[in-house]
Every structure is written in structure tokens, then in C-alpha cells.
Amino acid sequence: MSSTAAVPFWRAAGMTYISYSNICANLVRNCLKEPHKSEAISREKVHFSLSKWVDGKPEKPNCHVYKLSCF
């Protein structure tokens, strides 16, 4: 069954919404003036930890830093 409904341009370009959203957020951050630009860029990093569970107990977590960026 084909649909004649309009397709969002990001989908038509072969992108996911997350990649489109990341590109837009990156453009907005780069347009800010200092000191707001450096504050926004520092918030773009995500810190998280992963723990492997063995016998119902977590082992020592591994800390990771992930930079949210498409470029």
C-alpha cells in the first residue's frame, strides 16, 4: 500500500530524525555568541557508565564520554 502523504524532507534525504536533529542543534550552537557558545558546546558531551552484571551484582563500572556530534 503506497501513501500519497507528504514525506518529511529529512526522511526524503535518507536521514533519521536523530541525525537531522543533531545537525540542527550543531548549527544553532555554532551560531551563538560567547560565552553562550562555549557553554552550549560543553553541554554537548554526555557522560555515562556501563556495568557488567555477574551473579546479580554489578562489577566495577566503565566510564565513557560521548560527544553528540554528526561531524
Side-chain angles (χ1 to χ4, degrees):
M1 177 175 169
S2 68
S3 174
T4 58
V7 177
F9 66 90
W10 49 266
R11 178 68 68 197
M15 299 173 69
T16 64
Y17 181 75
I18 296 296
S19 62
Y20 165 73
S21 177
N22 282 338
I23 290 171
C24 291
N26 193 28
L27 290 170
V28 169
R29 281 190 290 269
N30 287 331
C31 291
L32 294 173
K33 293 181 181 179
E34 291 297 337
H36 305 292
K37 182 176 183 176
S38 59
E39 291 173 10
I41 289 174
S42 70
R43 284 193 308 262
E44 137 183 71
K45 294 179 183 172
V46 177
H47 298 268
F48 64 95
S49 63
L50 296 174
S51 296
K52 183 176 178 182
W53 287 68
V54 177
D55 297 325
K57 297 180 183 176
E59 293 182 346
K60 184 179 178 188
N62 296 324
C63 294
H64 300 277
V65 176
Y66 181 73
K67 186 173 190 254
L68 299 174
S69 180
C70 292
F71 306 108

